Amino acid sequence: MSTQGYEAELRSEQEYVTALYARLDGERERAKTRYTAALKQNDGLPGERDVAVRALARENRRLSVADSGLCFGRLDARDGGRSYIGRIGLFDEDDEFKPVLLDWRAPASSAFYTATAASPENLRRRRQFHPKGRRVASFTDEVLGSGERSDADTDAALLAAVNAPRGEGMRDIVATIQAEQDRIIRLDHPGVLVIEGGPGTGKTVVALHRVAYLLYTQRERMERHGVLVVGPNPAFLDHIGRVLPSLGESDVVFATPGGLLPGRHATDEDEPEAARAKGSLGMVDVLKAAIADRQALPPEPVVLKLRDTAVRIDAETAEWARDEARQSGRPHNEARSVFVEIVTYVLTERAIARIGRGWLSRDEREAWEELRADLLAELKADPEFVRAIDALWPILTPESLLAPLYASPARLAAAGADPALHREQGDAWTLSDIPLLDELIDLLGKAPERAKQRENAAERAAEAEYAAGVLDILRLDREEQDEDIGLTAEHLLYDTDLADRFVETDTRDLAERAAADRDWTYRHVVVDEAQELSEMDWRVLMRRCPSRSFTVVGDLAQRRSEAGARDWGAMLDRYVPGRWVYRSMSVNYRTPAEIMAVAVTVLAEFAPAVEPPESVRACGVRPWSRKVSDDDLPGAVDEFVRAEAAREGTSVVIGPPDVPGAVAASDTKGLEYDAVLLVDPDRILDDGPRGAAELYVALTRSTQRLGVLHRGPLPEMLSGLEERA
């Protein structure tokens, strides 16, 4: 195409895009007007206004994110048809069924990402815009079906994106999704999708775009429940937190594994041996045994003096009551009423027999029951009786069960627990304790005095009918249930419970309500750095998503936790046998070839069987190393910080805690920076059995520049670095 022809095409495309923005602005104004009117509405059924306001708020958010890069491409079909592709879908003002801009998630948009010269999918040309704000700065064309690539650099958009300086957070890739990524984003699989890839392969951003795609294609099923995204730490969640909002999706809750239990949060980690023990599925049996250990028998009969006689709770009575309570199948706190019922039955029967000897027989039922009622009232008012019941069948909270267990070697032994779980301060909660506390909520149940009273059945019937549709979404086919742990929709939620949860009376948005509700269930869950999760962590997540719809992102080679996954099948087959699929990503979009060449030597040291991802580009800058003394180190770090501050982009210093301004390698997982300074790599290697994996993580955070300062010997596996004086 001649320069004159190109300029004419560019003006024509700008006119079309300008018209799209005019259409967008008009829709925004109309949506804003409807939203304002809904806020002022006071009539209608309770909850209707809230539903309308939330729906219109979502529409306003969807329209607000499209301003930057609204339209980023065009497809020309062989039959002369033409389609424009963008962040959202827009329709002709005079024909609501005629699209003027296709949403990138629409089926007709798929070819924009997957068509090739060899497989053109009935297309003649793909045009990619390079926008700046509302202006089309330039475009590149790829002729399809000719067997040849066009003269235009069809990788220009991708290379521009991966070479661009990094900002404060992860960016969406909606304009540059590659065919490998698009196939994963659009994969039609109702169960668990595992996406594995090495550093920089884009697995996280692909998972987030998959969420946006699912919310687009399954809006009705997903919007009532929302999506949960689980990441390794708050810094990572901040890093990825802009992606989904930038795609117009806000019904998403972000959480770390330590923050999945509302009201409780942990960041400290256990020693490897304790973490391994707590993460094992065997902890469920330990917790059950610990609860059983608190259901005691009196070593000596407990004598209770009533007004007209004395009775006693002996071991035989308590054992019968305990057996009946356990066999009720109720959680511990809720089974207490069965225990009390049996104990009081025995005590009142004995008391009536003594008090009524010679004048009262069982045939006189009315008098017998009247006396029983008096005795029951007397027992319940007796402090000694209350103390006895509390000693034999105490009301427990997760914390009051777990903290004394950890603090007592004897209790740990009685529960069959690993001695490594012992610690002096039992309530010094760690990340590994969160799934145990969560498990105990179900095992213990609600305390009787705090249990929610049921409302009038007639009033609840209407709510239950409303919730029945929600239950249909959650109900699994019998063959898809995990009979081993029984965490199915029916066990977790019933229509009446759903009615309580989903009746539209709360003014908070979905994400706020879901984050505050431990019993909330999500339609889909994304788990990043999933190789770090233990078997007990997975139990928590399965409770949160009874439909078992997950996107799991990880890299087994980067596993740090001793309780984490060593094999996806061994972990997931416990919960979703036959319902998970695996996809791998092999192209490294982040780490340039020069840096990856160094990282590969580290990978070969601790995971020789793992195939490293192939870098899509080189940066032309060799990574370097420099030996410094203790006195020289602060100045060398300051020199790096000052130099990077003068450049556009982001930088980080990774190193041990005694290095000023440094962060640990584990805290940078999933993050990326334009420049990385790594300090004392030998000490990272020496930090436990997973030191090499930590070093591998540190080396692969950079998108442009990598430097290494070492006070001790430079590890042999880093000998490929350019040595600087």
Side-chain angles (χ1 to χ4, degrees):
M1 185 184 300
S2 67
T3 302
Q4 189 174 6
Y6 179 87
E7 292 296 332
E9 281 283 294
L10 185 60
R11 286 193 297 273
S12 175
E13 299 293 23
Q14 182 63 64
E15 289 175 3
Y16 191 89
V17 170
T18 299
L20 290 177
Y21 275 110
R23 179 78 177 119
L24 174 67
D25 291 339
E27 287 204 19
R28 280 177 176 168
E29 285 303 314
R30 286 187 287 275
K32 189 183 299 182
T33 299
R34 292 195 300 270
Y35 178 71
T36 302
L39 287 174
K40 296 177 180 177
Q41 182 180 343
N42 292 317
D43 56 349
L45 295 174
E48 278 189 350
R49 173 183 172 276
D50 291 339
V51 173
V53 167
R54 287 175 188 147
L56 288 167
R58 282 195 296 269
E59 178 66 5
N60 274 279
R61 286 192 295 267
R62 183 183 79 89
L63 295 171
S64 68
V65 301
D67 208 67
S68 178
L70 169 63
C71 177
F72 48 77
R74 187 183 100 185
L75 290 174
D76 295 350
R78 290 195 174 282
D79 62 7
R82 179 180 294 179
S83 302
Y84 286 84
I85 315 299
R87 288 181 170 274
I88 64 172
L90 293 173
F91 292 85
D92 190 281
E93 194 164 4
D94 299 322
D95 185 352
E96 61 178 342
F97 298 105
K98 180 183 177 182
V100 293
L101 182 66
L102 286 174
D103 191 298
W104 67 274
R105 297 166 288 189
S109 300
S110 176
F112 184 77
Y113 303 109
T114 60
T116 64
S119 179
E121 301 186 32
N122 292 317
L123 297 175
R124 182 173 59 84
R125 176 170 56 188
R126 172 172 44 222
R127 173 167 290 178
Q128 195 153 33
F129 300 149
H130 310 303
K132 289 187 177 180
R134 293 192 168 197
R135 184 171 65 88
V136 181
S138 62
F139 65 81
T140 55
D141 282 347
E142 182 178 2
V143 178
L144 303 170
S146 65
E148 300 179 359
R149 296 171 69 91
S150 67
D151 293 336
D153 182 4
T154 56
D155 293 328
L158 173 64
L159 292 176
V162 296
N163 280 314
R166 267 42 181 180
E168 293 183 359
M170 180 179 284
R171 298 165 295 189
D172 67 68
I173 58 167
V174 63
T176 58
I177 294 171
Q178 302 301 292
E180 172 191 54
Q181 299 170 328
D182 188 74
R183 285 190 291 272
I184 295 174
I185 289 169
R186 297 176 192 266
L187 184 65
D188 183 16
H189 179 70
V192 177
L193 166 63
V194 176
I195 306 173
E196 182 165 30
T201 52
K203 52 190 182 292
T204 296
V205 74
V206 165
L208 296 174
H209 282 67
R210 175 169 168 76
V211 168
Y213 174 77
L214 292 174
L215 285 166
Y216 175 82
T217 57
Q218 302 177 27
R219 180 73 62 188
E220 250 183 71
R221 298 181 67 198
M222 297 188 70
E223 67 179 1
R224 187 180 295 278
H225 300 277
V227 174
L228 172 64
V229 176
V230 180
N233 53 57
F236 175 83
L237 295 179
D238 287 343
H239 179 64
I240 69 172
R242 298 173 180 84
V243 174
L244 283 167
S246 77
L247 298 172
E249 303 298 347
S250 57
D251 290 338
V252 180
V253 173
F254 293 89
T256 64
L260 285 172
L261 198 54
R264 301 166 181 88
H265 194 76
T267 56
D268 291 339
E269 296 186 20
D270 282 298
E271 292 298 319
E273 190 176 354
R276 189 188 311 111
K278 290 181 183 180
S280 167
L281 205 56
M283 278 302 297
V284 176
D285 292 331
V286 170
L287 296 178
K288 290 178 179 178
I291 294 171
D293 187 50
R294 300 293 291 272
Q295 298 164 354
L297 301 179
E300 299 291 338
V302 179
V303 179
L304 303 170
K305 295 180 179 179
L306 303 179
R307 184 174 61 246
D308 297 320
T309 188
V311 291
R312 64 180 192 169
I313 306 175
D314 53 30
E316 183 180 10
T317 298
E319 186 173 20
W320 177 30
R322 185 179 68 177
D323 290 346
E324 291 292 326
R326 288 176 177 175
Q327 290 170 20
S328 72
R330 301 179 189 178
H332 169 84
N333 289 331
E334 296 168 29
R336 173 180 161 117
S337 62
V338 178
F339 181 83
V340 173
E341 182 181 1
I342 299 297
V343 170
T344 55
Y345 171 79
V346 172
L347 296 183
T348 56
E349 283 291 305
R350 289 174 179 172
I352 293 170
R354 292 171 187 169
I355 296 170
R357 184 176 297 140
W359 64 271
L360 181 62
S361 71
R362 287 183 178 276
D363 293 336
E364 299 174 84
R365 297 308 304 169
E366 186 174 343
W368 190 284
E369 292 304 327
E370 188 175 326
L371 182 53
R372 182 195 300 280
D374 291 341
L375 289 168
L376 282 173
E378 190 176 352
L379 278 173
K380 290 179 180 178
D382 184 355
E384 289 298 323
F385 174 77
V386 174
R387 277 194 289 272
I389 294 297
D390 285 343
L392 300 176
W393 198 284
I395 294 173
L396 296 170
T397 65
E399 292 84 355
S400 68
L401 183 283
L402 204 55
L405 177 67
Y406 288 153
S408 169
R411 288 193 185 277
L412 287 170
D418 191 315
L421 302 188
H422 173 64
R423 64 189 184 208
E424 294 298 328
Q425 187 179 344
D427 59 356
W429 306 120
T430 66
L431 287 170
S432 302
D433 292 325
I434 296 300
L436 306 187
L437 292 168
D438 190 77
E439 186 80 28
L440 283 167
I441 289 176
D442 285 349
L443 292 177
L444 294 174
K446 296 180 180 179
E449 64 271 19
R450 292 195 296 270
K452 183 179 180 181
Q453 297 300 316
R454 291 296 182 186
E455 300 174 6
N456 181 277
E459 295 175 350
R460 293 176 54 79
E463 298 174 6
E465 183 179 355
Y466 169 81
V470 181
L471 185 62
D472 288 339
I473 296 173
L474 299 177
R475 186 168 288 115
L476 302 174
D477 294 330
R478 287 293 174 189
E479 60 269 18
E480 293 178 347
Q481 296 178 11
D482 185 345
E483 295 180 359
D484 178 42
I485 61 172
L487 295 175
T488 65
E490 288 86 347
H491 287 121
L492 292 172
L493 296 171
Y494 299 90
D495 52 354
T496 50
D497 297 320
L498 284 165
D500 288 338
R501 187 164 305 131
F502 294 114
V503 65
E504 300 287 351
T505 57
D506 198 330
T507 58
R508 295 172 298 171
D509 64 25
L510 182 143
E512 291 175 311
R513 288 181 288 142
D517 185 354
R518 182 260 176 185
D519 293 325
W520 190 278
T521 58
Y522 298 88
R523 188 65 186 88
H524 190 77
V525 176
V526 175
V527 187
D528 210 316
E529 299 294 344
Q531 73 277 356
E532 305 297 343
L533 269 60
S534 70
E535 293 170 336
M536 292 301 295
D537 288 322
W538 278 107
R539 279 181 70 89
V540 176
L541 293 175
M542 292 297 164
R543 289 189 192 94
R544 304 301 192 268
C545 187
S547 63
R548 307 292 199 273
S549 178
F550 283 79
T551 298
V552 174
V553 179
D555 180 9
L556 295 178
Q558 295 186 59
R559 178 184 59 81
R560 179 173 177 268
S561 170
E562 284 298 310
R566 289 166 169 79
D567 177 87
W568 297 118
M571 183 66 79
L572 294 175
D573 281 342
R574 296 179 181 275
Y575 304 101
V576 285
R579 295 192 66 234
W580 67 278
V581 296
Y582 175 88
R583 296 292 185 271
S584 62
M585 300 184 68
S586 57
V587 179
N588 189 331
Y589 300 98
R590 176 205 300 148
T591 317
E594 295 89 343
I595 296 176
M596 200 61 202
V598 177
V600 163
T601 62
V602 178
L603 179 66
E605 186 74 18
F606 72 94
V610 175
E611 188 72 24
E614 183 178 352
S615 296
V616 76
R617 68 191 171 97
C619 66
V621 179
R622 285 191 62 188
W624 54 269
S625 66
R626 175 182 165 194
K627 185 172 177 58
V628 295
S629 66
D630 289 344
D631 293 337
D632 292 338
L633 178 63
V637 171
D638 286 343
E639 180 185 344
F640 167 82
V641 172
R642 286 196 304 272
E644 290 303 326
R647 291 186 168 110
E648 185 180 2
T650 60
S651 63
V652 69
V653 178
I654 301 176
D658 61 342
V659 176
V663 300
S666 58
D667 291 335
T668 65
K669 286 190 111 174
L671 307 182
E672 58 184 16
Y673 306 88
D674 291 277
V676 170
L677 181 67
L678 178 59
V679 180
D680 290 343
D682 55 317
R683 292 174 62 187
I684 295 177
L685 278 174
D686 291 341
D687 187 19
R690 300 298 297 173
E694 292 285 271
L695 181 58
Y696 180 60
V697 169
L699 291 170
T700 53
R701 298 307 95 194
S702 174
T703 67
Q704 300 290 345
R705 299 173 294 281
L706 171 67
V708 175
L709 299 176
H710 59 104
R711 287 176 285 184
L714 185 69
E716 186 176 345
M717 61 184 73
L718 300 183
S719 58
L721 293 169
E722 178 184 0
E723 184 68 28
R724 289 186 180 179

